[in-house]
Amino acid sequence: MLLRIRALLAALWAGELLTVALLAAPNAFATLERAMAGRYVGRLFELDARFALAAGILLILMERRLHRDGDVGGSAMNLGFLLPLLAIGFTAAGYYALEPMMEAARQGQGSWTFLQLHAVSMVFFGLRMIAVLVLAWRVMPRIAPASAR
């Protein structure tokens, strides 16, 4: 049962990231005034960061439990542990570290421009998306259909 919940959570997280990146953020800038779109997308990324931390921690805890119970083999430092950990790291760096710097850059403070910080933030978001997509892809094959049991 825990294998299925882990797979569902990884798939939901991947879907959330793809929705924000491919639908919500681009459409906000396509339909709203630039300043309002920026505030809206900023709020989306705040919610996304909170979800990322919760999902990442839950997935790590599930992986530890599955490894402890012998449901997953191999090393304790496997991809099921490292990919959510990487995603949490990219979230912390991309949102929690860079967001305050981006706000300061908007006000003309700091040595980096808003555009430079935004580019780095996008790289972190992309790397997080790759880590979560690989995780979701990796955990799905472990679930056999009910008819195969």
Side-chain angles (χ1 to χ4, degrees):
M1 179 71 159
L2 192 57
L3 287 169
R4 290 179 185 271
I5 293 170
R6 180 182 66 162
L8 177 62
L9 181 56
L12 286 172
W13 190 7
E16 180 267 334
L17 287 169
L18 290 170
T19 300
V20 168
L22 300 177
L23 296 175
N27 283 313
F29 283 99
T31 58
L32 299 173
E33 169 200 330
R34 187 168 183 79
M36 184 173 281
R39 285 191 301 272
Y40 174 76
V41 171
R43 177 73 174 139
L44 274 178
F45 285 132
E46 178 186 346
L47 295 172
D48 166 68
R50 290 179 183 179
F51 181 77
L53 295 179
I57 290 168
L58 284 172
L59 286 164
I60 287 171
L61 291 173
M62 286 181 206
E63 186 66 28
R64 296 296 91 204
R65 175 70 183 261
L66 290 167
H67 190 269
R68 186 192 74 197
D69 292 349
D71 292 335
V72 293
S75 169
M77 287 297 208
N78 59 21
L79 285 178
F81 177 81
L82 293 175
L83 289 171
L85 188 62
L86 275 172
I88 289 172
F90 291 136
T91 301
Y95 182 77
Y96 292 105
L98 289 178
E99 181 62 27
M101 294 171 65
M102 289 169 68
E103 188 57 40
R106 277 191 203 106
Q107 299 170 4
Q109 302 169 352
S111 59
W112 287 42
T113 67
F114 175 81
L115 192 58
Q116 290 169 327
L117 292 168
H118 188 269
V120 173
S121 177
M122 287 178 59
V123 168
F124 284 138
F125 188 88
L127 291 171
R128 175 166 51 121
M129 190 180 320
I130 290 168
V132 173
L133 287 169
V134 169
L135 177 67
W137 184 269
R138 184 187 164 281
V139 298
M140 286 300 170
R142 292 185 179 191
I143 297 175
S147 62
R149 288 187 214 147

